[in-house]
Amino acid sequence: MKQHRFSFIPGFLFILSLIYPANQSPVYSKHGMVVSGSRWASEAGIEILKKGGNAVDAAAAIGFALAVTYPQAGNIGGGGFMVAYTSKGESFTLDFREKAPEAAYREMYLDENGEVIENLSLFSPLAVGVPGSVDGFLKAWRDYGSGKISRREILAPAIRLAARGFPITYRFAGFLNDRREFFERDDGARSIFVRKDGRPWKAGDRLVQKDLARTLKRISRLGRDGFYTGKVAELIEKEIREGNGIMTARDLARYESKYRAPVTGTFRDLEILSMGPPSSGGALLIQMLNMLEYFRLDTLGWNSADYIHLLTEVERRAYADRAEHMGDPDYWDVPLEMLTSKTYAKSRIQDISFSRATPSSEVSAGDPTAYESRETTHFSVVDRFGNAVSVTTTLNTSFGCGIVVEGAGFFLNNEMDDFSAKPGVPNVFGLVGKEANSIQPGKRPLSSMSPTIVLKNGAPFMILGSPGGATIITTVLQCILNVVVHRMDIQEAVSAPRIHSQWLPDVIMTEPRSISKDSERILVSRGHTLAPYRWGYIGQANGILIGKDGFYGGADPRGENAAVGY
Ligand code: GLY
């Protein structure tokens, strides 16, 4: 009998340990570079580049490999976004975000009193959005791959890793052991992620995923039909139906990823290309950079009281706009022009004072009528031909809704929690939303994922992104500022301790060692509230800097991220 006991889960588990920044140099290479959440996946990407594939081919192979070696967020049961700049000087973004099933409706997570039912949008079959990753990876490979790498070759590393298994690290073993209770709530998850003999995982154990290997082989043979129709689709539908969920095989068959125009802006002499709606990431990143451009940032020390004060003031204004104005552009008119306009940014900073924090209760969203005209994973890839690809994918929280599709071997997402279940009620990341992000059939929930490419003199200069829910955007922002303003190399930039704020709650969230006691005192005296970030670390940024002489990879030491070049 199928077992799901998610209603009893008190919350979800995230990595609590903070890994302090390592003192190491960027990884250098001349021909290609991959930085991802798993060494195995980075090596899969390099394997494809060495065969003559381009960065898009490699990105597809990395995406599938992460579904095996980084099952907490790498996925075929979730979704994500790709931002790319090609050697021909073109850019594109691909939206393979999950969609609400056709039977979804606005009040689906509310009880008879109109209150949000705890955990229903997180840990139940109703939490699952229609997955987009398989369609996205294959579409990007088909349309922008080199043409030299077959689908079979794209899937081969992932199939090998799933079928033969891979030796797990000390850290990953601990991570699985910490989540044992979570896995035991689902038969499919238990059968893969709890050791058969009941003992704890240890470093060097092989994690073999036979069912997942079979699913990947189907995709290799049949393309998207190997996932969205036939046997795998039947297994997904059965899994969802048994738990009284609403996603159907018809939803799967109808899923399509979508090319969208990148959201663009400038910061000093740099061009920013990032992901537009249904992600809020790119627009907010550009809006915050626009606001910051009006200040003399170079006179403020890294993470000084004035610097953190300014970041916080800018962040609260941008996140207030996110809550009001941002949602799936197929369903909501997002005022993108306003949000990314330098004039709007200027109007937004007029009431920033360095002597006093603006209470978030005094900050509301801008008026567009005046402007008509914890767990995700990021990887960055560059090749020797001049292509650059930035991809962020997610199941939402770690291991998604916790349900593994039995017989198919992969976790399903809980992305429906990224919708606003009820106006003003925060989601798992504390983000509030309104009508723009309400639930509708076929709609994509608003994301914060911010895969980004920074151009200098018209060519890719920095490729980066991060997991971290609401903190993704401020993580990417701080990494860019670390390089451009604080002159850090890419390794220092992704490693440096971070802070985060997001309008509501009105608090500066901190990593250990991100703020000195002196600065903390000054910030409190101005009216700020500070608190350690509740999940310990903020983001896991993976970036590449392109220099005159080659590629520099920076892998975030907060996880098992790995920069591999050749
Ligand atoms: N699931 C987190 C995000 O998309 O922002």
Side-chain angles (χ1 to χ4, degrees):
M1 175 74 185
K2 180 83 190 155
Q3 185 187 344
H4 292 305
R5 285 188 283 122
F6 294 99
S7 51
F8 297 107
I9 297 178
F12 66 89
L13 298 167
F14 256 86
I15 300 174
L16 290 168
S17 59
L18 181 80
I19 310 303
Y20 292 103
N23 182 14
Q24 60 188 44
S25 303
V27 171
Y28 171 76
S29 76
K30 249 192 142 38
H31 306 294
M33 175 73 70
V34 177
V35 192
S36 85
S38 138
R39 179 161 293 281
W40 300 103
S42 295
E43 284 172 357
I46 292 294
E47 182 181 320
I48 298 293
L49 293 181
K50 282 184 175 167
K51 281 184 169 178
N54 68 14
V56 177
D57 294 320
I62 296 161
F64 285 116
L66 283 168
V68 181
T69 61
Y70 200 81
Q72 58 270 47
N75 69 78
I76 54 175
F81 300 107
M82 175 182 289
V83 174
Y85 189 87
T86 74
S87 55
K88 295 185 187 135
E90 297 166 353
S91 57
F92 70 89
T93 77
L94 183 58
D95 163 3
F96 50 99
R97 180 73 161 164
E98 300 90 330
K99 295 175 79 166
E102 285 302 321
Y105 57 98
R106 196 188 164 89
E107 296 86 14
M108 62 187 278
Y109 301 117
L110 305 185
D111 65 16
E112 58 278 12
N113 300 316
E115 301 303 329
V116 175
I117 302 168
E118 204 183 349
N119 287 328
L120 201 58
S121 63
L122 278 171
F123 303 113
S124 84
L126 283 176
V128 183
V130 187
S133 292
V134 173
D135 191 70
F137 297 149
L138 293 180
K139 188 179 280 189
W141 159 78
R142 183 194 69 194
D143 296 343
Y144 288 96
S146 63
K148 295 180 196 147
I149 304 292
S150 66
R151 191 168 65 219
R152 196 183 54 74
E153 290 173 294
I154 295 294
L155 271 298
I159 293 170
R160 195 172 62 228
L161 288 160
R164 295 187 202 159
F166 61 97
I168 63 173
T169 59
Y170 175 79
R171 190 190 290 192
F172 192 56
F175 185 61
L176 293 179
N177 293 334
D178 286 349
R179 279 151 189 78
R180 180 172 172 151
E181 198 200 320
F182 182 71
F183 298 141
E184 282 181 338
R185 292 180 170 130
D186 178 77
D187 292 341
R190 184 201 307 110
S191 69
I192 301 165
F193 296 101
V194 176
R195 264 177 61 134
K196 301 263 176 291
D197 60 8
R199 294 212 181 121
W201 294 98
K202 56 182 191 329
D205 284 350
R206 285 189 96 74
L207 181 63
V208 177
Q209 299 171 78
K210 293 274 188 222
D211 286 344
L212 179 57
R214 272 189 286 276
T215 299
L216 293 166
K217 276 182 199 158
R218 277 181 203 280
I219 298 168
S220 170
R221 233 181 28 249
L222 303 169
R224 64 156 272 146
D225 286 348
F227 184 87
Y228 291 97
T229 61
K231 176 87 178 158
V232 175
E234 280 165 27
L235 289 169
I236 297 173
E237 190 182 51
K238 178 166 174 280
E239 189 72 46
I240 295 286
R241 200 177 42 234
E242 281 181 5
N244 297 322
I246 54 173
M247 190 172 73
T248 62
R250 186 178 136 94
D251 286 316
L252 290 162
R254 293 176 62 170
Y255 182 87
E256 263 193 82
S257 56
K258 216 167 171 173
Y259 288 111
R260 299 186 188 270
V263 62
T264 58
T266 61
F267 180 65
R268 299 183 174 177
D269 61 337
L270 305 171
E271 284 173 68
I272 314 291
L273 294 181
S274 193
M275 192 67 219
S279 180
S280 60
L284 257 68
L285 176 66
I286 289 165
Q287 187 188 0
M288 292 190 288
L289 287 169
N290 283 343
M291 287 192 255
L292 289 169
E293 213 171 30
Y294 290 105
F295 294 89
R296 294 172 59 203
L297 285 175
D298 302 84
T299 64
L300 308 179
W302 176 83
N303 279 16
S304 61
D306 278 350
Y307 183 69
I308 289 174
H309 175 84
L310 182 57
L311 289 189
T312 305
E313 291 299 311
V314 158
E315 287 166 4
R316 84 167 93 242
R317 284 160 178 77
Y319 278 79
D321 279 337
R322 182 192 194 277
E324 183 71 32
H325 295 307
M326 301 207 72
D328 182 344
D330 296 343
Y331 290 73
W332 186 261
D333 192 11
V334 179
L336 209 50
E337 194 171 326
M338 171 186 95
L339 294 173
T340 58
S341 128
K342 302 253 186 217
T343 323
Y344 176 64
K346 192 168 184 186
S347 71
R348 221 50 188 124
I349 58 167
Q350 292 311 311
D351 58 347
I352 292 181
S353 151
F354 272 90
S355 55
R356 164 186 178 268
T358 322
S360 284
S361 55
E362 291 176 14
V363 174
S364 54
D367 176 5
T369 53
Y371 288 82
E372 286 302 347
S373 53
R374 180 177 178 336
E375 184 107 5
T376 299
T377 187
H378 177 83
F379 56 94
S380 299
V381 193
V382 291
D383 64 27
R384 64 184 193 275
F385 312 113
N387 301 293
V389 180
S390 188
V391 182
T392 313
T393 73
T394 188
L395 290 165
N396 196 24
T397 58
S398 203
F399 300 104
C401 69
I403 299 172
V404 162
V405 179
E406 279 198 81
F410 59 88
F411 279 104
L412 290 167
N413 67 81
N414 53 0
E415 218 66 64
M416 292 292 284
D417 189 68
D418 272 347
F419 278 117
S420 173
K422 182 180 172 182
V425 174
N427 72 2
V428 72
F429 298 110
L431 290 165
V432 290
K434 298 184 187 165
E435 190 55 37
N437 192 31
S438 63
I439 305 169
Q440 285 177 258
K443 190 174 175 181
R444 289 161 156 98
L446 184 61
S447 172
S448 298
M449 288 189 273
S450 315
T452 296
I453 296 177
V454 179
L455 306 179
K456 193 177 195 170
N457 302 322
F461 164 61
M462 198 187 315
I463 297 92
L464 84 162
S466 174
T471 70
I472 292 173
I473 317 170
T474 56
T475 294
V476 172
L477 173 72
Q478 286 169 87
C479 290
I480 292 176
L481 296 174
N482 285 347
V483 169
V484 179
V485 176
H486 302 293
R487 306 281 165 199
M488 296 185 193
D489 68 37
I490 190 69
Q491 186 59 57
E492 287 175 296
V494 299
S495 304
R498 293 187 270 264
I499 56 108
H500 169 73
S501 57
Q502 57 181 47
W503 180 50
L504 295 176
D506 189 349
V507 63
I508 301 175
M509 303 167 210
T510 61
E511 284 187 326
R513 304 179 196 199
S514 55
I515 303 190
S516 72
K517 288 284 168 214
D518 290 359
S519 296
E520 196 172 326
R521 263 196 301 277
I522 296 169
L523 288 163
V524 170
S525 75
R526 290 178 191 178
H528 290 284
T529 304
L530 288 86
Y533 185 56
R534 68 168 162 150
W535 293 313
Y537 69 79
I538 295 176
Q540 286 191 42
N542 284 328
I544 299 173
L545 264 191
I546 303 182
K548 285 195 178 65
D549 55 346
F551 306 123
Y552 294 85
D556 198 315
R558 292 166 181 79
E560 298 203 307
N561 304 291
V564 181
Y566 90 103

